[in-house]
Amino acid sequence: MKPTLFWSYCAAVVTLTIAGCGLAAQGQAPAAGDHADHAAPPAQTLGPAADVQRGYAGLKTNILKAAQNMPADAYSFRPTPDVRTFARVVNHVSEAQIRACGAINQTPAEARGKVPAETADKAAIVAALQASFAECDKAFASLTDANALQMLTSGPVTRARIGYAWGTVSHDNEQYATLALYMRLKGLVPPSSEK
């Protein structure tokens, strides 16, 4: 696949993923022609904390399944020579989550989890990913509507607690789109498309 075609495909996948997440989050009513027995879900009102927590939970499930479902020998796969390997994308998720969720938790930098090299075996890379989600589970569980605007500092950056949380969800969504694309290119069905 030529690099230009690959990046066009990536842009389309990211756009469709973001649009799909937006529709899912809004709880769309059934389309015309749907049967009456498929009633719309009950109306919900989500505060800022619950909204970001719901987004995180869905992405966590998909990213972990993608990492687990990709065969070990495909962790070195890269669609073109100038893009990251599957392992590097998974490690990038782990690194970003350790940094952002560590900031929310006010975990000192030296006490935060470490990420193995992208050449490490699948088990080590998945273990680091799971550890990064454990850090984020704690961070997202601590988020409430009352503390969402609390300002936190991590290194040179000071931002609201919910800013770190939404930044994590946004970044995870982008990286999941990449993982899903790599899975498709290897003939695998991404977790969000499983039936």
Side-chain angles (χ1 to χ4, degrees), residues 21-112:
C21 288
L23 290 175
Q26 293 175 15
Q28 296 294 307
D34 282 355
H35 297 287
D37 60 335
H38 292 110
Q44 297 181 34
T45 300
L46 297 175
D51 196 20
V52 73
Q53 288 161 340
R54 183 172 76 165
Y56 165 75
L59 284 163
K60 174 185 174 182
T61 298
N62 286 336
I63 290 171
L64 285 171
K65 279 187 179 179
Q68 291 161 349
N69 292 351
M70 185 67 114
D73 64 349
Y75 263 59
S76 61
F77 171 67
R78 64 175 82 224
T80 65
D82 58 335
V83 298
R84 298 173 177 170
T85 63
F86 185 88
R88 183 67 200 113
V89 177
V90 174
N91 276 350
H92 182 62
V93 171
S94 299
E95 291 162 348
Q97 290 192 149
I98 288 167
R99 186 173 46 256
C101 294
I104 293 171
N105 296 331
Q106 295 293 279
T107 305
E110 62 277 3
R112 295 178 188 176

Coordinates of all heavy atoms in Angstrom, one line a residue, residues 21-112:
C21 N -18.4 7.4 17.6 CA -18.4 7.6 19.0 C -19.3 8.7 19.4 O -20.0 8.6 20.4 CB -17.0 7.9 19.5 SG -15.9 6.5 19.5
G22 N -19.4 9.7 18.6 CA -20.3 10.8 18.9 C -21.8 10.3 18.8 O -22.6 10.7 19.7
L23 N -22.1 9.5 17.8 CA -23.5 9.0 17.7 C -23.8 8.1 18.8 O -24.9 8.2 19.4 CB -23.7 8.3 16.4 CG -23.7 9.2 15.1 CD1 -23.7 8.4 13.9 CD2 -24.8 10.2 15.2
A24 N -22.9 7.2 19.2 CA -23.1 6.3 20.3 C -23.3 7.0 21.6 O -24.2 6.7 22.4 CB -22.0 5.3 20.4
A25 N -22.5 8.0 21.8 CA -22.6 8.8 23.1 C -23.9 9.5 23.2 O -24.4 9.8 24.3 CB -21.4 9.8 23.2
Q26 N -24.5 9.9 22.1 CA -25.7 10.7 22.1 C -27.0 9.8 22.3 O -28.1 10.3 22.5 CB -25.9 11.5 20.8 CG -24.9 12.6 20.7 CD -25.0 13.3 19.3 OE1 -25.9 13.1 18.6 NE2 -23.9 14.0 19.0
G27 N -26.8 8.5 22.2 CA -27.9 7.5 22.3 C -29.0 7.8 21.3 O -30.1 8.1 21.6
Q28 N -28.6 7.7 20.0 CA -29.5 7.9 18.9 C -30.7 7.0 19.0 O -30.7 5.9 19.4 CB -28.8 7.7 17.6 CG -27.6 8.7 17.4 CD -28.1 10.1 17.2 OE1 -29.0 10.4 16.4 NE2 -27.6 11.0 18.0
A29 N -31.9 7.6 18.6 CA -33.1 6.8 18.5 C -33.0 5.9 17.3 O -32.3 6.1 16.4 CB -34.3 7.8 18.4
P30 N -33.8 4.8 17.3 CA -33.8 3.9 16.2 C -34.2 4.6 14.9 O -35.0 5.6 14.9 CB -34.9 2.9 16.6 CG -35.1 3.0 18.0 CD -34.8 4.4 18.4
A31 N -33.6 4.2 13.8 CA -33.9 4.8 12.5 C -35.3 4.4 12.1 O -35.8 3.4 12.5 CB -32.8 4.3 11.5
A32 N -35.8 5.1 11.1 CA -37.1 4.8 10.6 C -37.1 3.4 10.0 O -36.2 3.0 9.4 CB -37.5 5.8 9.5
G33 N -38.1 2.7 10.3 CA -38.2 1.3 9.8 C -37.8 0.3 10.8 O -38.0 -0.9 10.6
D34 N -37.1 0.7 11.9 CA -36.8 -0.2 12.9 C -38.0 -0.7 13.6 O -39.0 0.0 13.7 CB -35.9 0.4 14.0 CG -34.4 0.6 13.5 OD1 -34.1 0.0 12.4 OD2 -33.6 1.2 14.2
H35 N -38.0 -1.9 14.1 CA -39.2 -2.5 14.7 C -39.5 -1.8 16.1 O -38.6 -1.4 16.8 CB -39.0 -4.0 14.9 CG -38.8 -4.7 13.6 ND1 -39.9 -4.9 12.8 CD2 -37.7 -5.3 13.0 CE1 -39.5 -5.6 11.7 NE2 -38.2 -5.8 11.8
A36 N -40.7 -1.8 16.4 CA -41.1 -1.1 17.7 C -40.5 -1.9 18.9 O -40.4 -1.2 20.0 CB -42.6 -1.1 17.8
D37 N -40.2 -3.2 18.8 CA -39.7 -3.9 19.9 C -38.2 -3.5 20.2 O -37.7 -3.9 21.2 CB -39.8 -5.4 19.8 CG -39.1 -5.9 18.5 OD1 -38.9 -5.1 17.6 OD2 -38.7 -7.1 18.5
H38 N -37.6 -2.7 19.4 CA -36.3 -2.2 19.6 C -36.4 -0.7 20.2 O -36.1 0.2 19.5 CB -35.4 -2.2 18.4 CG -35.1 -3.5 17.9 ND1 -35.7 -4.1 16.8 CD2 -34.3 -4.5 18.4 CE1 -35.2 -5.3 16.6 NE2 -34.4 -5.6 17.6
A39 N -37.0 -0.6 21.3 CA -37.2 0.7 21.9 C -35.9 1.5 22.2 O -34.9 0.9 22.4 CB -38.0 0.5 23.2
A40 N -36.0 2.8 22.1 CA -34.9 3.6 22.4 C -34.5 3.5 23.8 O -35.3 3.2 24.7 CB -35.2 5.1 22.1
P41 N -33.2 3.6 24.1 CA -32.8 3.5 25.5 C -33.4 4.6 26.3 O -33.7 5.6 25.8 CB -31.3 3.6 25.5 CG -31.0 4.2 24.1 CD -32.1 3.9 23.2
P42 N -33.6 4.4 27.6 CA -34.2 5.4 28.5 C -33.3 6.7 28.5 O -32.1 6.6 28.3 CB -34.2 4.8 29.9 CG -33.3 3.6 29.8 CD -33.2 3.2 28.4
A43 N -33.9 7.8 28.6 CA -33.2 9.1 28.6 C -32.2 9.1 29.8 O -32.5 8.6 30.9 CB -34.1 10.2 28.7
Q44 N -31.1 9.6 29.6 CA -30.1 9.7 30.7 C -29.6 11.2 30.8 O -29.5 11.9 29.8 CB -28.9 8.9 30.4 CG -29.1 7.4 30.3 CD -27.8 6.6 30.1 OE1 -26.8 7.0 30.5 NE2 -27.9 5.5 29.3
T45 N -29.2 11.6 31.9 CA -28.5 12.9 32.1 C -27.2 12.5 32.8 O -27.1 12.0 33.9 CB -29.4 13.8 33.0 OG1 -30.6 14.0 32.4 CG2 -28.6 15.1 33.2
L46 N -26.1 12.8 32.1 CA -24.8 12.6 32.5 C -24.1 13.9 32.9 O -24.1 14.8 32.1 CB -24.0 11.9 31.5 CG -24.4 10.5 31.0 CD1 -23.6 10.0 29.9 CD2 -24.4 9.5 32.2
G47 N -23.6 14.0 34.1 CA -22.8 15.1 34.5 C -21.4 15.0 33.8 O -21.1 14.0 33.2
P48 N -20.6 16.0 34.0 CA -19.3 16.0 33.4 C -18.4 14.7 33.7 O -17.8 14.1 32.9 CB -18.6 17.3 33.9 CG -19.7 18.2 34.2 CD -20.8 17.3 34.7
A49 N -18.4 14.4 35.0 CA -17.6 13.2 35.5 C -18.1 11.9 34.9 O -17.4 11.1 34.3 CB -17.6 13.2 37.0
A50 N -19.4 11.7 34.9 CA -20.0 10.5 34.4 C -19.8 10.4 32.9 O -19.6 9.3 32.4 CB -21.5 10.4 34.8
D51 N -19.9 11.5 32.2 CA -19.7 11.5 30.8 C -18.3 11.0 30.3 O -18.2 10.2 29.5 CB -20.0 12.9 30.2 CG -20.3 12.9 28.7 OD1 -20.6 11.9 28.1 OD2 -20.1 14.0 28.2
V52 N -17.3 11.6 31.0 CA -15.9 11.2 30.6 C -15.6 9.8 31.1 O -14.9 9.1 30.4 CB -14.9 12.3 31.1 CG1 -14.7 12.2 32.6 CG2 -13.6 12.1 30.4
Q53 N -16.2 9.4 32.2 CA -16.0 8.0 32.7 C -16.5 7.0 31.8 O -15.9 6.0 31.5 CB -16.6 7.9 34.1 CG -15.8 8.6 35.2 CD -16.5 8.9 36.5 OE1 -17.8 8.8 36.5 NE2 -15.8 9.2 37.5
R54 N -17.7 7.3 31.2 CA -18.3 6.4 30.2 C -17.5 6.3 29.0 O -17.3 5.2 28.5 CB -19.7 6.8 29.9 CG -20.4 5.9 29.0 CD -21.9 6.2 28.8 NE -22.0 7.3 27.9 CZ -23.1 7.7 27.3 NH1 -24.3 7.0 27.6 NH2 -23.2 8.7 26.5
G55 N -17.0 7.4 28.5 CA -16.1 7.3 27.3 C -14.8 6.5 27.6 O -14.4 5.7 26.7
Y56 N -14.3 6.7 28.7 CA -13.0 6.0 29.1 C -13.3 4.5 29.2 O -12.5 3.7 28.7 CB -12.5 6.5 30.4 CG -11.5 5.6 31.1 CD1 -10.2 5.5 30.6 CD2 -11.8 4.8 32.2 CE1 -9.3 4.7 31.2 CE2 -10.9 3.9 32.8 CZ -9.6 3.9 32.3 OH -8.7 3.1 32.8
A57 N -14.4 4.1 29.8 CA -14.7 2.6 30.0 C -14.8 1.9 28.7 O -14.3 0.8 28.5 CB -16.0 2.5 30.8
G58 N -15.5 2.5 27.7 CA -15.6 1.9 26.4 C -14.3 1.7 25.7 O -14.0 0.7 25.1
L59 N -13.5 2.7 25.7 CA -12.2 2.7 25.1 C -11.3 1.7 25.7 O -10.5 1.0 25.1 CB -11.6 4.1 25.0 CG -12.2 5.0 24.0 CD1 -11.8 6.4 24.2 CD2 -11.7 4.6 22.6
K60 N -11.3 1.6 27.1 CA -10.5 0.7 27.8 C -10.8 -0.8 27.3 O -9.9 -1.5 27.0 CB -10.8 0.8 29.3 CG -10.1 -0.3 30.1 CD -10.4 -0.2 31.6 CE -9.8 -1.4 32.3 NZ -10.2 -1.4 33.8
T61 N -12.1 -1.1 27.2 CA -12.4 -2.4 26.8 C -11.9 -2.7 25.4 O -11.3 -3.8 25.1 CB -14.0 -2.6 26.8 OG1 -14.4 -2.4 28.1 CG2 -14.4 -3.9 26.2
N62 N -12.1 -1.8 24.4 CA -11.6 -2.0 23.1 C -10.1 -2.1 22.9 O -9.6 -2.9 22.2 CB -12.2 -0.9 22.2 CG -13.7 -1.1 21.9 OD1 -14.2 -2.2 22.0 ND2 -14.4 0.0 21.6
I63 N -9.4 -1.2 23.6 CA -7.9 -1.2 23.5 C -7.4 -2.5 24.1 O -6.5 -3.1 23.5 CB -7.3 0.1 24.1 CG1 -7.7 1.3 23.3 CG2 -5.8 -0.1 24.3 CD1 -7.4 2.6 23.9
L64 N -7.8 -2.9 25.3 CA -7.3 -4.1 25.9 C -7.6 -5.3 25.0 O -6.7 -6.2 24.8 CB -7.9 -4.3 27.3 CG -7.3 -3.4 28.4 CD1 -8.1 -3.6 29.6 CD2 -5.9 -3.8 28.6
K65 N -8.8 -5.4 24.4 CA -9.1 -6.5 23.5 C -8.3 -6.5 22.3 O -7.9 -7.5 21.8 CB -10.6 -6.5 23.1 CG -11.5 -7.1 24.2 CD -13.0 -7.1 23.6 CE -13.9 -7.7 24.6 NZ -15.3 -7.8 24.1
A66 N -8.1 -5.3 21.7 CA -7.2 -5.2 20.5 C -5.8 -5.7 20.8 O -5.2 -6.5 20.1 CB -7.1 -3.8 20.0
A67 N -5.3 -5.3 22.0 CA -3.9 -5.8 22.3 C -3.9 -7.3 22.6 O -2.9 -8.0 22.2 CB -3.5 -5.0 23.6
Q68 N -4.9 -7.8 23.2 CA -5.0 -9.3 23.5 C -5.2 -10.1 22.2 O -4.7 -11.2 22.0 CB -6.0 -9.5 24.5 CG -5.6 -9.0 25.9 CD -6.7 -8.8 26.9 OE1 -7.9 -8.9 26.5 NE2 -6.4 -8.6 28.1
N69 N -6.1 -9.6 21.3 CA -6.5 -10.3 20.1 C -5.4 -10.3 19.0 O -5.4 -11.2 18.1 CB -7.8 -9.8 19.5 CG -9.0 -10.1 20.5 OD1 -8.8 -10.8 21.5 ND2 -10.1 -9.5 20.2
M70 N -4.5 -9.3 19.0 CA -3.5 -9.3 17.9 C -2.5 -10.4 18.2 O -2.0 -10.5 19.4 CB -2.8 -7.9 17.9 CG -1.8 -7.8 16.7 SD -2.6 -7.9 15.1 CE -2.3 -6.2 14.5
P71 N -2.2 -11.3 17.3 CA -1.2 -12.3 17.5 C 0.2 -11.8 17.9 O 0.5 -10.7 17.4 CB -1.2 -13.1 16.2 CG -2.4 -12.7 15.5 CD -2.8 -11.4 16.0
A72 N 0.9 -12.5 18.7 CA 2.2 -12.0 19.1 C 3.1 -11.7 18.0 O 3.9 -10.7 18.0 CB 2.8 -13.1 20.1
D73 N 3.1 -12.5 16.9 CA 4.0 -12.3 15.8 C 3.6 -11.1 15.0 O 4.4 -10.7 14.1 CB 4.1 -13.6 14.9 CG 2.8 -14.0 14.3 OD1 1.7 -13.4 14.6 OD2 2.9 -14.8 13.4
A74 N 2.4 -10.5 15.2 CA 2.0 -9.3 14.5 C 2.3 -8.1 15.3 O 2.0 -7.0 14.8 CB 0.5 -9.4 14.2
Y75 N 2.9 -8.2 16.4 CA 3.2 -7.0 17.2 C 4.3 -6.1 16.5 O 4.4 -4.9 16.7 CB 3.6 -7.3 18.6 CG 2.5 -7.2 19.6 CD1 1.3 -7.9 19.4 CD2 2.6 -6.3 20.7 CE1 0.3 -7.8 20.3 CE2 1.5 -6.2 21.6 CZ 0.4 -7.0 21.4 OH -0.7 -6.8 22.2
S76 N 5.1 -6.8 15.6 CA 6.1 -6.0 14.9 C 5.6 -5.5 13.5 O 6.3 -4.8 12.8 CB 7.3 -6.9 14.6 OG 6.9 -8.1 13.8
F77 N 4.3 -5.7 13.3 CA 3.7 -5.3 12.0 C 3.6 -3.8 11.9 O 3.2 -3.1 12.9 CB 2.3 -5.9 11.8 CG 1.5 -5.3 10.7 CD1 1.9 -5.6 9.4 CD2 0.4 -4.5 10.9 CE1 1.2 -5.1 8.3 CE2 -0.3 -4.0 9.8 CZ 0.1 -4.3 8.5
R78 N 4.0 -3.3 10.8 CA 3.8 -1.8 10.4 C 3.4 -1.8 9.0 O 4.0 -2.4 8.1 CB 5.1 -1.0 10.7 CG 6.3 -1.4 9.8 CD 7.5 -0.5 10.0 NE 8.3 -0.8 11.2 CZ 8.7 0.0 12.1 NH1 8.5 1.3 11.9 NH2 9.4 -0.4 13.1
P79 N 2.3 -1.0 8.7 CA 1.8 -1.0 7.3 C 2.8 -0.5 6.3 O 2.8 -1.0 5.1 CB 0.5 -0.1 7.4 CG 0.2 -0.2 8.8 CD 1.4 -0.3 9.6
T80 N 3.5 0.5 6.6 CA 4.6 1.0 5.8 C 5.8 1.2 6.6 O 5.7 1.4 7.8 CB 4.2 2.3 5.1 OG1 4.0 3.3 6.1 CG2 2.9 2.2 4.3
P81 N 7.0 1.3 6.0 CA 8.2 1.4 6.8 C 8.3 2.7 7.6 O 9.0 2.7 8.6 CB 9.3 1.5 5.7 CG 8.7 0.8 4.5 CD 7.3 1.2 4.6
D82 N 7.6 3.7 7.3 CA 7.7 5.0 8.0 C 6.7 5.2 9.1 O 6.6 6.3 9.7 CB 7.7 6.2 7.1 CG 6.4 6.2 6.2 OD1 5.8 5.2 6.0 OD2 6.0 7.3 5.8
V83 N 5.9 4.2 9.5 CA 4.9 4.3 10.6 C 5.3 3.3 11.7 O 6.1 2.4 11.6 CB 3.5 4.0 10.1 CG1 3.1 5.1 9.0 CG2 3.3 2.6 9.6
R84 N 4.6 3.6 12.8 CA 4.9 2.8 14.1 C 4.5 1.3 13.9 O 3.5 1.0 13.2 CB 4.1 3.3 15.2 CG 4.5 4.7 15.6 CD 3.5 5.3 16.7 NE 3.9 6.6 17.1 CZ 3.2 7.4 17.8 NH1 2.0 7.0 18.3 NH2 3.6 8.6 18.1
T85 N 5.1 0.4 14.7 CA 4.7 -0.9 14.7 C 3.4 -1.0 15.6 O 3.1 -0.1 16.4 CB 5.7 -1.9 15.4 OG1 6.0 -1.4 16.7 CG2 7.0 -1.9 14.5
F86 N 2.7 -2.1 15.6 CA 1.5 -2.3 16.4 C 2.0 -2.2 17.9 O 1.3 -1.5 18.7 CB 0.9 -3.7 16.2 CG -0.4 -3.9 17.0 CD1 -1.6 -3.5 16.5 CD2 -0.3 -4.5 18.2 CE1 -2.8 -3.7 17.2 CE2 -1.5 -4.8 18.9 CZ -2.7 -4.3 18.4
A87 N 3.1 -2.8 18.2 CA 3.7 -2.8 19.6 C 3.9 -1.3 20.0 O 3.7 -0.9 21.2 CB 4.9 -3.6 19.7
R88 N 4.5 -0.5 19.1 CA 4.8 0.9 19.5 C 3.5 1.7 19.7 O 3.5 2.5 20.6 CB 5.6 1.5 18.3 CG 6.0 2.9 18.6 CD 7.1 3.0 19.8 NE 7.1 4.3 20.4 CZ 6.7 4.6 21.6 NH1 6.2 3.6 22.4 NH2 6.7 5.8 22.1
V89 N 2.4 1.4 19.0 CA 1.2 2.1 19.2 C 0.6 1.7 20.6 O 0.2 2.6 21.4 CB 0.1 1.8 18.1 CG1 -1.2 2.5 18.4 CG2 0.7 2.3 16.8
V90 N 0.7 0.4 21.0 CA 0.2 0.0 22.3 C 1.1 0.7 23.4 O 0.5 1.2 24.3 CB 0.3 -1.5 22.4 CG1 -0.1 -2.0 23.8 CG2 -0.7 -2.2 21.4
N91 N 2.4 0.7 23.2 CA 3.2 1.3 24.2 C 3.0 2.8 24.3 O 3.0 3.4 25.4 CB 4.7 1.1 23.8 CG 5.3 -0.2 24.3 OD1 4.6 -0.9 25.1 ND2 6.5 -0.5 23.8
H92 N 2.6 3.4 23.2 CA 2.3 4.9 23.2 C 1.1 5.1 24.0 O 1.0 6.1 24.8 CB 2.1 5.4 21.7 CG 1.8 6.8 21.7 ND1 2.7 7.8 22.1 CD2 0.7 7.5 21.2 CE1 2.2 9.0 21.9 NE2 1.0 8.8 21.3
V93 N 0.1 4.3 23.9 CA -1.1 4.4 24.8 C -0.7 4.3 26.2 O -1.1 5.1 27.1 CB -2.2 3.3 24.4 CG1 -3.3 3.3 25.5 CG2 -2.7 3.5 23.0
S94 N 0.1 3.3 26.6 CA 0.6 3.1 27.9 C 1.3 4.3 28.5 O 1.0 4.8 29.6 CB 1.5 1.9 28.0 OG 0.8 0.7 27.7
E95 N 2.2 4.8 27.7 CA 3.0 6.0 28.1 C 2.1 7.2 28.3 O 2.3 7.9 29.4 CB 4.0 6.4 27.0 CG 5.1 5.4 26.8 CD 5.9 5.5 25.5 OE1 5.4 6.2 24.6 OE2 6.9 4.8 25.4
A96 N 1.2 7.5 27.4 CA 0.3 8.7 27.6 C -0.6 8.5 28.8 O -0.8 9.5 29.5 CB -0.5 8.8 26.3
Q97 N -1.1 7.3 29.0 CA -2.0 7.1 30.2 C -1.2 7.2 31.5 O -1.7 7.8 32.4 CB -2.7 5.7 30.1 CG -3.7 5.7 29.0 CD -4.6 4.5 29.0 OE1 -5.7 4.6 28.6 NE2 -4.1 3.3 29.5
I98 N 0.0 6.7 31.5 CA 0.8 6.8 32.7 C 1.0 8.2 33.1 O 1.0 8.6 34.2 CB 2.1 6.0 32.6 CG1 1.8 4.5 32.6 CG2 3.1 6.4 33.7 CD1 3.0 3.6 32.1
R99 N 1.3 9.0 32.0 CA 1.6 10.4 32.2 C 0.4 11.2 32.7 O 0.4 11.9 33.7 CB 2.2 11.0 31.0 CG 2.7 12.5 31.1 CD 3.4 13.0 29.8 NE 2.8 12.7 28.6 CZ 3.1 11.7 27.7 NH1 4.2 10.9 28.0 NH2 2.5 11.5 26.6
A100 N -0.7 11.1 31.9 CA -1.9 11.9 32.2 C -2.6 11.4 33.5 O -3.0 12.2 34.4 CB -2.9 11.8 31.1
C101 N -2.8 10.1 33.7 CA -3.5 9.6 34.9 C -2.6 9.7 36.1 O -3.1 9.9 37.2 CB -4.0 8.2 34.6 SG -5.3 8.1 33.3
G102 N -1.3 9.6 35.9 CA -0.4 9.9 37.0 C -0.5 11.3 37.5 O -0.4 11.6 38.7
A103 N -0.7 12.2 36.5 CA -0.9 13.6 36.9 C -2.2 13.8 37.7 O -2.3 14.5 38.7 CB -1.0 14.5 35.7
I104 N -3.3 13.2 37.3 CA -4.6 13.2 38.0 C -4.4 12.7 39.4 O -4.9 13.2 40.4 CB -5.7 12.5 37.3 CG1 -6.0 13.2 36.0 CG2 -6.9 12.4 38.2 CD1 -7.0 12.4 35.1
N105 N -3.7 11.5 39.5 CA -3.5 10.9 40.8 C -2.4 11.5 41.6 O -2.2 11.2 42.8 CB -3.1 9.4 40.6 CG -4.2 8.6 40.0 OD1 -5.4 8.9 40.1 ND2 -3.9 7.6 39.2
Q106 N -1.7 12.5 41.0 CA -0.5 13.1 41.7 C 0.5 12.1 42.1 O 1.2 12.2 43.1 CB -1.0 14.0 42.9 CG -1.9 15.2 42.4 CD -1.1 16.2 41.6 OE1 -0.4 17.0 42.2 NE2 -1.2 16.2 40.3
T107 N 0.7 11.1 41.2 CA 1.7 10.1 41.5 C 3.0 10.7 41.0 O 3.2 11.2 39.9 CB 1.4 8.8 40.6 OG1 0.1 8.3 40.9 CG2 2.4 7.7 40.8
P108 N 4.0 10.6 41.9 CA 5.4 11.2 41.5 C 5.9 10.5 40.3 O 5.7 9.3 40.1 CB 6.2 10.9 42.7 CG 5.3 10.7 43.9 CD 4.0 10.1 43.3
A109 N 6.6 11.2 39.4 CA 7.1 10.7 38.2 C 7.9 9.4 38.4 O 7.8 8.4 37.6 CB 7.9 11.7 37.4
E110 N 8.7 9.4 39.4 CA 9.6 8.2 39.6 C 8.8 7.0 40.1 O 9.3 5.8 40.0 CB 10.7 8.5 40.6 CG 10.3 8.9 42.0 CD 9.8 10.4 42.2 OE1 9.9 11.1 41.2 OE2 9.5 10.8 43.3
A111 N 7.6 7.2 40.6 CA 6.7 6.1 41.0 C 5.8 5.6 40.0 O 5.1 4.6 40.2 CB 6.0 6.5 42.3
R112 N 5.8 6.2 38.8 CA 4.8 5.8 37.7 C 5.4 4.6 37.0 O 6.6 4.3 37.0 CB 4.6 7.0 36.8 CG 3.9 8.1 37.4 CD 3.8 9.3 36.5 NE 3.3 10.5 37.2 CZ 3.1 11.6 36.6 NH1 3.3 11.8 35.4 NH2 2.6 12.7 37.4

